[in-house]
């Protein structure tokens, strides 16, 4: 090649199919659950009397996995432990 000359190279491209059409969904997206932030939530678990005696307001889970620091949730018909899944049904 000399000075100022141009070289054209042609190469075939393999593959490269058509662009995919965007999917049209029939059902709307699920709305995910948002956690509610409760300020000073520990005040619901303990009560301090006039003579500075602390009492627990919730039932403590008796399972060996949980121990004395894990409280059970109070529902209208049952007590439920969120850590081990233990449930006591009230009648």
């Amino acid at each position: 090649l000399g000075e100022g000359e141009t070289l054209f190279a042609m190469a075939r491209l393999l593959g490269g199919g058509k662009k995919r059409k965007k999917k049209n969904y029939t059902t709307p997206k699920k709305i995910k659950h948002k956690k509610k932030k409760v300020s000073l939530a520990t005040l619901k678990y303990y009560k301090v009397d006039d003579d500075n005696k602390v009492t627990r307001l919730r039932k403590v889970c008796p399972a060996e996995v949980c121990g004395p620091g894990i409280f059970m949730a109070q529902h209208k018909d049952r007590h439920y432990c969120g850590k081990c899944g233990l449930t006591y049904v009230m009648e």
Side-chain angles (χ1 to χ4, degrees):
L1 289 174
E3 194 176 320
E5 293 181 8
T6 333
L7 180 70
F8 291 101
M10 302 283 269
R12 267 179 144 195
L13 292 175
L14 298 174
K18 286 188 177 178
K19 190 175 177 184
R20 280 181 65 167
K21 189 181 174 196
K22 192 177 179 196
K23 252 188 186 177
N24 190 12
Y25 294 102
T26 54
T27 54
K29 275 191 176 178
K30 256 189 201 175
I31 300 168
K32 290 184 179 174
H33 171 262
K34 290 178 187 149
K35 185 180 176 186
K36 292 177 188 170
K37 173 81 170 97
V38 180
S39 58
L40 299 171
T42 52
L43 296 177
K44 293 180 181 178
Y45 301 122
Y46 301 101
K47 181 182 176 188
V48 181
D49 298 332
D50 295 330
D51 55 332
N52 291 338
K53 184 160 168 101
V54 178
T55 55
R56 293 184 181 128
L57 297 176
R58 301 283 164 97
K59 188 173 180 174
V60 177
C61 184
E64 290 181 20
V65 179
C66 300
I70 307 297
F71 292 105
M72 298 183 86
Q74 284 179 333
H75 297 276
K76 63 181 179 182
D77 59 340
R78 68 194 184 279
H79 288 288
Y80 176 75
C81 177
K83 187 172 182 182
C84 67
L86 183 71
T87 307
Y88 289 124
V89 180
M90 294 183 283
E91 293 176 11

